Every structure is written in C-alpha cells, then in structure tokens.
Amino acid sequence: MDGLELLKKQEELLQEGVPHAVVTLVETEGTARTHGKMLVLADGTIYGTVGGGAGERLAIRDAVQLLEQGKNAVRSYQLDSPLSAAGKACGGSLTVFIESCPDTRPHLVMVGGGHVGLALIRAAKLAGFAVTLADTRGEQEIGQAIAAADRFLPLENFGSALAAQKLPAGAYYVVATYSHATDGEALGGVLQHTDAAYVGMIGSRRKIEALYEKLMAAGVTEKQLAAVHAPIGLALGGEAPEEIAVAILAEILMTKYGKRRREL
C-alpha cells in the first residue's frame, strides 16, 4: 500500500468514525528499511507496514494499547538477539512515533435526506457532529444533503440494508424519510443498532401509533419502542424545516448532556 492509498484509507476511517493509530517509522539502525507507515485498528488489523517482523509486531501491540488509552508515544525496539547474530532473524533497532486517532466527535446518523434531513445535517455539523446520511435515493433527488454530510450510505432498502450497516457505537439516529411506510421500515432497521445513544422519528402521534403496531407485530418489543423519541424534538414551535431541525438538535443535545425536559 503506497502513501496515497494509505492516506485514502485513513480518510475513509475518519469519515466512518473508526478509531485507529498511525505508526510512523522515524529512525532505524542495522535494518534494510528506512521509512514506513501503517494504520492500526483497535483489533490489531493493519494497513501499510513499518517493515514486518518482530519490530512491527511490537509496534502493533503498543499501538493497540495506546489507542485504548487515547495517548501518543515514541517507542524504540532493540531487535538484536542470538538468532539475529546467527543470521536466522532480523536484528538492529527501530524507533516509531505512534499517534492515537480516536473519533471524539458525536455522530449523527440521518436516515433520510429530505428538507428536514438537510437542515438537520447542516445544524448538527455546526454543533460539532460527524454526520452520516443514509437513504435509498441518490444524487439526483438529494444531492444537497449528500454534499452536506460527511459520509453517504446508499441503501437498497431501509430495513435489512440499514440494519446491516457498520455504524459508530453511541451514534444518534434520526428517522425522517419520504413516507410513513419507509419511516416504519427505517425505524425497524435503526433499532437493530442496540448501541445507539438516541433514536428519534419524525411524525404525528397517530402515524407513530400505527407504525408501532406494525413493528410490534414484526417482533419489535415495547421496551425498544419506549426508548424512541417520537414525536421527535422539543416543542419549540415552528414548522419550517430549519425550525424543526433546531428542535430535534435541541433534544439530541439534551440527551447528550443528560438533561431532562423538566430541567429545561
């Protein structure tokens, strides 16, 4: 993996909110390699290399530990041994800089890129959220929302396809698709992400009750539905998409900071 490919991979990880460490080779002695870089995920998966062998294995071990701690460090490894002296293993030494890159931004998953979705994406980004947009429509229908989001997930459907997506733990989910039927389907998909910090769905109480009946018939539990914020948002008033977006974002921030409605 060359330098450009590695940069593209890191951009992908950042957009997806995947924590990783960057390991950069800064000094070597007695080894053939003089430069190298790799990305290390929390499970030890790597992209790129700092030379392979024992030194790389030690760097991966330390990168995983430092990523868990959220710390950076310079680490040096002395690889000389009786085996290296006998020509049966690599020797020398290497020094690496390990930089932890945790995703510290709260993450909004906007399911639906219509008028409200676009307004909420813009508002959430101003508030420091990383935003993933998920929709079955494409550039022609929701091009502005796609451009505004950090990441776009084109879906075949809002049910199983949404449920199967790899999304950041602790994300905040908002469902506002283009019809009542797809809102219900999307909510069913979202509820499969049991590590969500917040789930909200737009709609009137009558619509929500009807959708809940269908979801319960499909196996969704009352406990799961009780945790959904629906009707969504604080009752601030206003019907414009931007006003609705502010009301939704206010409720998300209320949840994020552990506040209750009566405290507001």
Side-chain angles (χ1 to χ4, degrees):
M1 180 174 282
D2 63 25
L4 182 58
E5 290 175 327
L6 203 62
L7 284 173
K8 289 180 178 178
K9 184 62 185 181
Q10 187 175 18
E11 180 184 20
E12 177 186 320
L13 296 175
L14 290 169
Q15 288 180 342
E16 294 179 358
V18 178
H20 60 282
V22 182
V23 182
T24 305
L25 189 58
V26 295
E27 186 176 1
T28 64
E29 184 175 342
T31 67
R33 181 173 286 271
T34 58
H35 67 278
K37 189 184 289 284
M38 68 179 178
L39 310 176
V40 182
L41 306 191
D43 63 0
T45 299
I46 67 169
Y47 301 92
T49 181
V50 292
E56 183 166 287
R57 290 195 297 272
L58 292 170
I60 294 169
R61 178 203 64 188
D62 289 347
V64 170
Q65 292 175 353
L66 288 165
L67 180 57
E68 184 177 351
Q69 299 164 5
K71 296 180 179 180
N72 304 332
V74 175
R75 293 288 166 85
S76 296
Y77 308 109
Q78 179 55 249
L79 307 176
D80 288 330
S81 67
L83 285 175
S84 65
K88 297 180 179 180
C90 295
S93 64
L94 67 135
T95 300
V96 297
F97 172 57
I98 303 174
E99 178 186 9
S100 293
C101 299
D103 186 20
T104 58
R105 299 175 298 171
H107 203 110
L108 170 68
V109 178
M110 184 67 235
V111 186
H115 297 301
V116 172
L118 173 59
L120 183 55
I121 289 169
R122 289 171 170 167
K125 291 191 70 173
L126 286 174
F129 283 73
V131 181
T132 294
L133 169 64
D135 207 310
T136 58
R137 295 168 292 181
E139 184 76 30
Q140 186 173 352
E141 298 94 342
I142 57 166
Q144 283 186 295
I146 292 172
D150 295 294
R151 179 189 177 203
F152 175 54
L153 292 177
L155 301 174
E156 292 184 3
N157 59 69
F158 287 112
S160 58
L162 179 58
Q165 292 296 320
K166 185 177 181 181
L167 293 162
Y172 298 77
Y173 292 81
V174 172
V175 174
T177 70
Y178 44 80
S179 73
H180 290 187
T182 54
D183 279 346
E185 184 184 7
L187 182 59
V190 165
L191 289 175
Q192 299 304 308
H193 296 274
T194 56
D195 54 6
Y198 169 97
V199 176
M201 182 178 69
I202 200 166
S204 66
R205 292 189 182 278
R206 179 177 296 180
K207 163 195 160 179
I208 290 162
E209 288 175 3
L211 291 179
Y212 279 14
E213 287 182 8
K214 291 182 179 179
L215 288 168
M216 289 177 66
V220 176
T221 67
E222 287 188 31
K223 183 178 180 180
Q224 286 177 295
L225 294 174
V228 178
H229 295 260
I232 198 171
L234 299 185
L236 303 181
E239 297 180 355
E242 293 77 11
E243 293 172 321
I244 295 170
V246 169
I248 295 171
L249 183 59
E251 185 173 68
I252 289 173
L253 291 173
M254 180 190 74
T255 303
K256 180 176 183 286
Y257 291 109
K259 301 294 184 180
R260 299 181 181 181
R261 287 176 185 265
R262 64 172 178 265
E263 295 177 298
L264 304 179

